[in-house]
């Protein structure tokens, strides 16, 4: 599953390219809107992946959280910059393992609670997807690690920390 903006920086084309190297049993849903949507749909068609990749319109957060239950993994494929990926934490809070690119703050927030791949490298990404797709124990492990990681970012824990930090300045 990918959920987010469909812009060049988000690297959804990397996920689509990775799908070419994966077992036909692996499917992808892309949720979102953006200026790259039409070119991504065209990329899927040109690579004969229309039977394995579907596009879903933007979903409000609470609906997205329910949708997480229908998927095995969330992929964050940012290519250039990502300060903080709230969607990745929301997925982890819902027990969904995260595969993410080695860009920006996401690697600091997710760290070892997810699987990291080299940004823009569809072969590296395909290996990470396949590793989780056919290894239930690892899928379960990253589900638990992710859930524990997301708990660290509960708003009830962050607000007091920020208030105390502000006072120390």
């Amino acid at each position: 599953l990918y959920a987010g903006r469909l812009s060049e920086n988000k690297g959804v084309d990397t996920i689509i390219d990775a799908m070419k190297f994966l077992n036909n049993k692996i499917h992808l849903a892309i949720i979102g809107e953006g200026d790259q949507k039409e070119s991504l749909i065209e990329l899927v068609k040109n690579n004969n992946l229309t039977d394995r990749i579907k596009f879903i319109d933007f979903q409000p957060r609470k609906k997205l959280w329910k949708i997480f239950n229908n998927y095995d993994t969330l992929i964050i494929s940012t290519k250039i910059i990502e300060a903080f990926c709230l969607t990745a934490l929301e997925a982890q809070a819902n027990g969904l393992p995260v595969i993410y690119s080695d860009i920006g703050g996401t690697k600091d927030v997710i760290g070892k609670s997810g699987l990291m791949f080299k940004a823009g490298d569809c072969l590296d990404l395909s290996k990470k997807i396949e590793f989780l797709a056919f290894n239930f124990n690892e899928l379960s492990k990253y589900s638990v690690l992710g859930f524990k990681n997301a708990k660290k970012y509960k708003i009830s824990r962050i607000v007091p920390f920020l208030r105390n930090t502000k006072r120390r300045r």
Side-chain angles (χ1 to χ4, degrees):
L1 171 67
Y2 169 84
R5 266 188 337 274
L6 302 179
S7 62
E8 189 174 347
N9 178 49
K10 294 299 184 173
V12 180
D13 59 324
T14 302
I15 307 172
I16 294 168
D17 287 340
M19 290 292 291
K20 295 184 290 190
F21 301 101
L22 293 168
N23 185 302
N24 287 338
K25 293 179 182 179
I26 296 175
H27 293 257
L28 171 67
I30 298 171
I31 299 175
E33 299 294 331
D35 62 353
Q36 295 290 304
K37 187 170 187 173
E38 292 306 315
S39 63
L40 293 170
I41 290 170
E42 194 65 28
L43 181 62
V44 168
K45 286 179 187 174
N46 291 342
N47 286 286
N48 298 316
L49 293 167
T50 54
D51 59 329
R52 295 178 44 217
I53 299 175
K54 69 178 177 176
F55 287 84
I56 301 170
D57 292 337
F58 169 84
Q59 300 295 310
R61 289 223 177 270
K62 288 187 178 181
K63 190 166 183 186
L64 182 61
W65 299 339
K66 290 179 183 176
I67 290 171
F68 285 154
N69 294 322
N70 299 320
Y71 296 93
D72 296 319
T73 307
L74 177 76
I75 302 168
I76 303 299
S77 51
T78 307
K79 287 184 177 179
I80 302 167
I81 189 166
E82 184 86 57
F84 183 93
C85 187
L86 181 59
T87 304
L89 281 174
E90 290 170 331
Q92 287 186 322
N94 283 279
L96 197 60
V98 173
I99 299 173
Y100 65 98
S101 62
D102 60 350
I103 297 296
T106 304
K107 64 182 175 182
D108 298 322
V109 173
I110 303 300
K112 294 183 185 209
S113 69
L115 282 175
M116 186 169 63
F117 74 97
K118 183 168 176 38
D121 187 337
C122 65
L123 288 175
D124 188 25
L125 175 57
S126 69
K127 289 175 188 173
K128 300 297 178 359
I129 293 169
E130 199 160 78
F131 175 72
L132 286 184
F134 298 109
N135 192 332
F136 181 76
N137 288 336
E138 290 297 321
L139 190 69
S140 297
K141 173 182 132 182
Y142 282 103
S143 180
V144 170
L145 287 171
F147 186 76
K148 287 179 182 178
N149 183 58
K151 286 173 94 175
K152 295 188 303 190
Y153 294 93
K154 286 176 64 175
I155 195 71
S156 60
R157 297 175 109 182
I158 293 172
V159 170
F161 171 77
L162 292 174
R163 286 186 180 143
N164 287 337
T165 303
K166 189 176 180 182
R167 286 185 196 137
R168 286 187 237 149
R169 289 184 192 165

